[in-house]
Amino acid sequence: MSPPPQALAGRSVLVVGAGMVGVCTALDFLRRGARVTLIDRQEPGRETSFGNAGVLARSSLMPLNNPSMLRDLPGLLGNRRTSLRYNLRYVLNNLGWALPFLANARSSRVDRTAKALDALIRLSIPAHKAMIAECRQDDLLSERGWIFLYRSVAAHARSSLLRRMLTQFEVPTETLDRASLHELEPHLSPIFPHALWVQDSASVRDPGALVSAYSRRFAAEGGQIETGCVTGLHTIQAPRVVLEGGAEIRADHIVLCLGPWGKDMLNKAGYRVPMAFERGYHRQFKGSEGAGNAQTLGRPIYDTGGSYVLSPMRHGLRLTTGVELNARNAAENHDQITRAEKAAREAIDLGVPCTTPTWMGARPTFPDSRPCIGPLPAAHDVSVASGHQHIGFATAPGTARLLGDILEGKTPPIDARPFRPERFITYR
């Protein structure tokens, strides 16, 4: 049963989790007139959002679990691909997620997911651009699109599903040959006979800094930012969270934007949550000194054969990996990022590594690769906005707008039904 609509104006709201989704939600609710407190164990933007590749891409409407994955499944079983690694014990212990995840790779279900994600992305990117301008962070934004690279003619042919889907959703693209790719990205090695330039995309040169800028805007408009480790959640009667040490914080409404930490929190509160973790790694490099500029790329690239994304950042080039399915807090395994680095060095001069260590983060995902956005079942005063897999950074403003409209009983600008929490989250 849907919760009764209620204006947020004048209500106290506690947003738990200060990544991009949490900060955008806190700012949106504040502007609706709520008294908002944002809490996290670290400063805003220092967890999963910090390690993002920074791409705001229309092409992200294609979920990881798509028909191409089913086609490639025999090769993935060897568990040696750079694009996807998995801990077999973890997968077997989470068949309640894994089997529906594979079932959702069928074409009919992927079409529904792509439609939903496209709407959320379309809602979010203009909002990001407006907030970037408000926060005077224009130097962090680039609007040159990004490029999918193919190491062979056959690899380009195998991308036909993606290209058809981008055409279906009217995502502007341009197919590049070796010569036209060189004109756009002259520092790339000539090992890519084909490429696809996704033009209607933007990128951010420092994701963590952008989250911090949004949080400063939130504070400047009257929002409260607290530092504290939330260890428990009570959803019955007056909603409240428990902090490390036993102190409690009550609010009229609580929003959980905890990303990969949300599963444990909801489990403790009595909910079943079939959430898995698409872990990813990144390394930062200084780029080629001979180019006169460490940022030797004009835009992010996705080497489909090397299975990495390389993004120009303020302080060099950020190399990010594919997916590792494993427990959120399992020991790090750098084989995937090391293989990605080797492949990237075939494509471009990365230069020397920056002094920052290899970073690892966990991206939460539900079986259909769509986030859960809305009130929890059996707890109308507690909402969740989580499970965005690798596009939480990009879709945070749309998520905030959607959740606020749902709670206030307004008609959202996009269909909210594909993101209902009750499709997966159940109360025991």
Side-chain angles (χ1 to χ4, degrees):
M1 184 174 63
S2 299
Q6 186 170 356
L8 290 168
R11 303 188 76 199
S12 62
V13 175
L14 177 66
V15 179
V16 185
M20 183 58 91
V21 173
V23 170
C24 286
T25 299
L27 183 57
D28 180 274
F29 283 26
L30 183 72
R31 290 177 173 179
R32 293 172 188 261
R35 293 177 286 111
V36 184
T37 299
L38 176 67
I39 188 168
D40 202 320
R41 63 180 184 177
Q42 295 201 66
E43 294 178 3
R46 305 313 298 172
E47 297 280 6
T48 307
S49 293
F50 171 83
N52 197 274
V55 180
L56 310 177
R58 290 281 315 284
S59 54
S60 295
L61 58 87
M62 172 72 89
L64 174 65
N65 51 337
N66 62 67
S68 296
M69 170 180 275
L70 296 179
R71 180 195 65 199
D72 295 340
L73 196 56
L76 294 172
L77 293 177
N79 204 17
R80 298 184 60 83
R81 296 278 184 92
T82 308
S83 59
L84 175 63
R85 294 291 183 88
Y86 58 91
N87 180 301
L88 181 58
R89 178 176 295 181
Y90 172 75
V91 172
L92 292 177
N93 287 337
N94 289 274
L95 289 178
W97 172 86
L99 294 179
F101 181 78
L102 291 175
N104 276 285
R106 299 201 300 265
S107 294
S108 59
R109 297 190 181 186
V110 169
D111 287 345
R112 292 198 294 270
T113 291
K115 181 179 179 180
L117 294 182
D118 181 58
L120 190 60
I121 294 167
R122 284 176 181 261
L123 181 63
S124 298
I125 292 180
H128 259 308
K129 291 179 181 179
M131 285 198 292
I132 287 170
E134 282 183 34
C135 297
R136 299 183 179 180
Q137 298 296 311
D138 305 79
D139 62 312
L140 295 181
L141 182 68
S142 172
E143 298 188 66
R144 298 180 176 182
W146 73 318
I147 299 178
F148 286 57
L149 303 172
Y150 301 96
R151 293 192 173 215
S152 68
V153 174
H156 180 256
R158 288 195 297 271
S159 71
S160 58
L161 173 63
L162 170 65
R163 287 181 280 120
R164 285 199 305 271
M165 186 162 284
L166 296 183
T167 299
Q168 175 186 341
F169 286 93
E170 300 179 338
V171 178
T173 64
E174 181 180 334
T175 299
L176 307 174
D177 59 17
R178 204 185 307 266
S180 54
L181 173 62
H182 179 74
E183 290 181 9
L184 278 181
E185 297 293 347
H187 296 290
L188 285 177
S189 300
I191 61 173
F192 304 103
H194 288 289
L196 185 69
W197 180 17
V198 183
Q199 297 163 315
D200 191 9
S201 297
S203 57
V204 174
R205 295 190 180 95
D206 191 333
L210 188 63
V211 180
S212 295
Y214 286 3
S215 71
R216 291 193 298 272
R217 184 76 179 191
F218 167 72
E221 294 186 16
Q224 186 75 24
I225 299 176
E226 301 286 348
T227 301
C229 184
V230 176
T231 60
L233 168 71
H234 294 280
T235 63
I236 306 302
Q237 298 176 346
R240 60 197 187 277
V241 298
V242 181
L243 303 182
E244 193 172 53
E248 294 186 351
I249 301 179
R250 298 174 182 268
D252 295 327
H253 198 92
I254 295 173
V255 186
L256 301 179
C257 302
L258 281 168
W261 293 273
K263 180 176 182 177
D264 289 345
M265 186 69 63
L266 289 170
N267 285 162
K268 290 179 183 178
Y271 286 85
R272 292 189 180 92
V273 185
M275 175 187 286
F277 308 108
E278 297 180 6
R279 302 201 327 171
Y281 299 81
H282 89 225
R283 285 178 181 166
Q284 200 97 350
F285 300 88
K286 293 184 177 180
S288 171
E289 296 179 4
N293 184 347
Q295 296 183 14
T296 53
L297 287 174
R299 55 192 57 75
I301 59 169
Y302 169 37
D303 180 351
T304 61
S307 301
Y308 63 83
V309 170
L310 194 63
S311 300
M313 294 284 167
R314 274 204 303 203
H315 305 295
L317 295 170
R318 176 172 292 180
L319 176 73
T320 57
T321 67
V323 169
E324 178 196 20
L325 296 176
N326 206 344
R328 176 180 58 80
N329 56 356
E332 295 184 16
N333 181 349
H334 289 179
D335 181 66
Q336 196 176 26
I337 184 71
T338 299
R339 288 172 178 263
E341 179 182 340
K342 180 181 178 181
R345 289 192 180 279
E346 296 170 355
I348 195 169
D349 183 359
L350 294 177
V352 298
C354 296
T355 56
T356 53
T358 297
W359 178 91
M360 190 278 291
R363 298 163 294 201
T365 184
F366 287 101
D368 59 6
S369 292
R370 303 196 299 260
C372 286
I373 305 170
L376 287 173
H380 294 157
D381 292 325
V382 180
S383 294
V384 63
S386 185
H388 296 75
Q389 24 96 18
H390 63 283
I391 61 170
F393 183 88
T395 57
T399 296
R401 169 76 183 278
L402 198 61
L403 180 58
D405 285 351
I406 290 170
L407 295 181
E408 293 193 321
K410 298 178 179 177
T411 301
I414 64 173
D415 188 359
R417 291 173 297 178
F419 308 106
R420 297 188 309 272
E422 57 267 28
R423 74 189 196 279
F424 291 121
I425 300 175
T426 56
Y427 189 68
R428 290 195 280 259

